Amino acid sequence: MIPTRCNRAVRASPLIGLPAHQWWRLTGRFHHTPPRHARPRWGRGDRALVGLLIRGLMLGLAALLGTGCRNEGLYYGVVKPPDRPELRIGLGSSPETLDPHRAAGGPEDAILINLFEGLTEYDPETADPVPALAEHWEVNREATVYTFYLRHDARWSDGEPVTAEDFIYSWRRILDPATASPNASLLYCIRNAANVNRGRVRLRSKQTGEFLTDERGRELIIEPDDLPNALLDRRRVELVPYTPEDIGVEAVDEYTLRVELERPAAFFLDLTPHVALRPVPRRAIQRWGDQWTRPGHIVTNGPYTLSEWRPADVLILKKNPFYYAAKEIPVERAVFFLANDSMALLNLYRVGTLDVLATGLLPLPYIPLLRRYGDYVSGPYLMTYFFMLNVHHPPLDKRQVREALNLGVNRRQLCDRLLRAGQRPAHTLTPGDFGGRYPRPSGPLFDPVRARDLMNRAGFPQGRGLRLTLTYNSLDINRRIAEMVQAQWQQVFPELQLELVNVEWQVYLSAMREREFDIIRRSWVADYKDPYAFLELMLSESSNNFTGWTDPVYDRLIHLANAIVDPGQRLRQLAEAERRLIEAQPIIPLYHGVTFFLRKPYVRGWESNVLDKHPLKFVRLQREFGETMVHFWQPKR
Amino acid sequence: MVRYVIWRALSSIPLLFLVITVSFFLVRLAPGSPLARERAMPPEIRARLERHYGLDQPWSIQYWNYLRGLLRFDLGPSYKQKEASVNALIARAWPVSATLGALAFALALLAGVALGCLAATRRATFTDRSLVFLALVGVSVPNFVLGPLLVLIVSLNLLWLPPAGWGESRHVVLPAITLAAPYVAYIARLTRAGMLQALQEGYILTARAKGLREYGVLIKHALRVGILPVISFSGPAIAFLVTGTVVVERIFAIPGLGNLFVQAAFNRDYTLILGIVLVVSTALFLFNLLVDIIMVILDPRIHYGEA
């Protein structure tokens, strides 16, 4: 007899559609007695024997194929703490590089935050910056000068001390145009950083030796593209390109770093734990050049150092003995599994080879099943999934049409019926998860009546004559979202002709860059914990604003807001800018994301936070957590 | 014979050149770029990266530079794996695929030939019929069904073998079986057909008439000829097996050439795609040549180059 506690598992198995009791019925005796002439010629005993045989066979098959009874219960799969203090993490795709200045984010960040330590570190629960290399810091009244006091006992893994000079070298390196860092623009709030990175040029008078300024006293700057056209008297004026030495950082002394900002930027502190602002090893880079990130060459200042890296296989970190708090770090070794296939990773997690399966790696159809187990951890994430509208393509140039489309999307249905992992309907670009500090404007809700009305007034009654395309990259989730929105729009505007364009990743990227779309899916993850991380996306100068919508008022509101020292007032001003954005409607926000990962019950300190950052130095393993303990835990329902 | 081999080797060079040329331009014709990513870079930085990799130059110059690198056996840098060269990436992935492929092929050959002989000698019996049926099943069940099924039973329920990964000997078992299954079936069918034909030949009658033991007749005389179709099939088969199989490597998360190739194609990692194409086509050519040589050794009726 199949134990009843297994029923759920068998029903959940993708291979066996039948619940256990129905399997049983298949093999059971018939309930009615056939007429005498139809009865088989074998005796009762034979029939019982054959029945028993079949039942045995079925039972064996069910046990083999079904998710099985072994280790099933409150946790998904085998719960067995590792024999040594080691954490095994399913990470997904391989990092492209371990150079923090050339990395573009994603899988790299998860590894790099453990190799390199910055001024501050992400708090594992709130993702707020907590002191790391900087023991404390000061900000001047205008929020333009930050002074960081570094700890004296920090060392690189080659034994050399970590000093303010290391930060200066690193920030100059990332901003140097020769490095071509994709993350350099994160540092643009530092004085002259943008000028250096974009290769701008100033003018110096040959007579006085001073830089030329405009009537307001600001230095005259020429963009590199404009240089050939600039009419200059070369006998009187010389061109001086900005060099990395010009950026506003200086070492007051060996352990004091002074940062001068271009303009007040209240979010600067939130930026400091970002990988792009963490120091890189000067001596190793000078010695090894491009090859400095190899195991054996790499020098790190974080709690871990690189032990082994086999691309597309595993990446292993081991504790850095020179780290100032090395003794207090419980996890000695971390193994990142770099498999691309989420099914393979889930299987590895299930047999107990992985302790953590990071966010974004759970196969979508498994989420309703996995949510029932104690391993499943989920929380708000600073991520927004939205559609970008090409406002240059008629009829999307009409605000009424854009607004009508926006009002015709039922996000609640999208989140509850399709996504089902706790995602929240989005009415704005910015999620509300900034500790309740951001007075997020309220976006328009689902309103089919008003949507239809607006569409009528725009000249497309019932959507008649409206032909649009919706482009997305071929991932199951994107396809399903597009299909659901298509169906919703079809109900509100029955005569709308919406063509879904499912393209491969690279085609999608080039369609976006070339603006060959009407509506295109997009998602955005915040780099740091501030609404500006979302709002900067829609600035006119942003290289990621593909809508064609630009609004000088929006830009000015944002820049004014960032100049406000008082945090509350600044956020109110940002919210004002966002309200303007929503009214213009160049985007249709769909949902705000959630982090969702699997974590064995003996892992502590790998918590859900809004940036999905998990510094290993805070992770503990309860290795006394025995298999027997599992049964005393109550499952989530 | 020697002249034939040399001629074949020389004639392969223009062929490989053609393969490289066509692939070179095809990958560039596909939309996208190795530098594209979801977050667009500022145009200045993108331009600088393109200059760094020489992607801003016209295709003809890029092509010329690539060919010059090839002469020095330099397949260039990978655009996506920033610190690695294509040579290094292939050198790392190729042994993995080769190990797996060789094991799978050995398994396929041993099991396939043995089952094929068994079926041929027990012709038209229950054993034969069920083996023929099994072979049909083996050929028809795709490996993306067999692989997960094996994982489900052997790894997830019985916890006998790891469901994925690479590095230890126990990691090889399931992927090798999955990979070998259709080949076992196909080789069994080929062997059976070949043996059936061979057993009807006159020299078998002679051998039997000489009073040789049946076992000797089968192995020494019939199998030697009966296995020829299998050998000629083996050339391309082994070439494909040892150069990585996309599906199986993905299911079992094996860091081999097949996995690398898929990623390279998605990322438009031009140099890596070309490098793998070159390796696979060279392997295909080599194994075909090897098979032709083995055929001559096995079957004295075959001659090359003397006609």
Side-chain angles (χ1 to χ4, degrees), chain A residues 153-175:
Chain A
D153 52 354
R155 287 185 188 283
W156 291 97
S157 57
D158 60 358
E160 297 283 333
V162 184
T163 63
E165 223 26 77
D166 287 310
F167 280 92
I168 294 175
Y169 168 80
S170 303
W171 292 2
R172 282 177 182 164
R173 179 172 182 264
I174 190 173
L175 287 166

Side-chain angles (χ1 to χ4, degrees), chain A residues 311-356:
Chain A
D313 191 6
V314 289
L315 188 148
I316 302 171
L317 303 183
K318 62 172 192 283
K319 206 197 275 190
N320 174 6
F322 285 97
Y323 185 65
Y324 57 85
K327 286 208 182 78
E328 290 143 43
I329 291 182
V331 176
E332 297 278 338
R333 221 168 92 100
V335 184
F336 290 90
F337 281 73
L338 310 172
N340 277 313
D341 194 63
S342 56
M343 233 15 256
L345 286 173
L346 188 62
N347 289 340
L348 283 172
Y349 181 86
R350 199 168 136 182
V351 298
T353 307
L354 296 180
D355 305 311
V356 171

Side-chain angles (χ1 to χ4, degrees), chain A residues 310 313 353, chain B residues 99 103 161-162 164-173 175:
Chain A
R310 302 201 297 265
D313 191 6
T353 307
Chain B
T99 313
L103 280 171
L161 291 166
W166 190 256
E168 293 166 42
S169 52
R170 59 205 183 100
H171 284 125
V172 190
V173 183

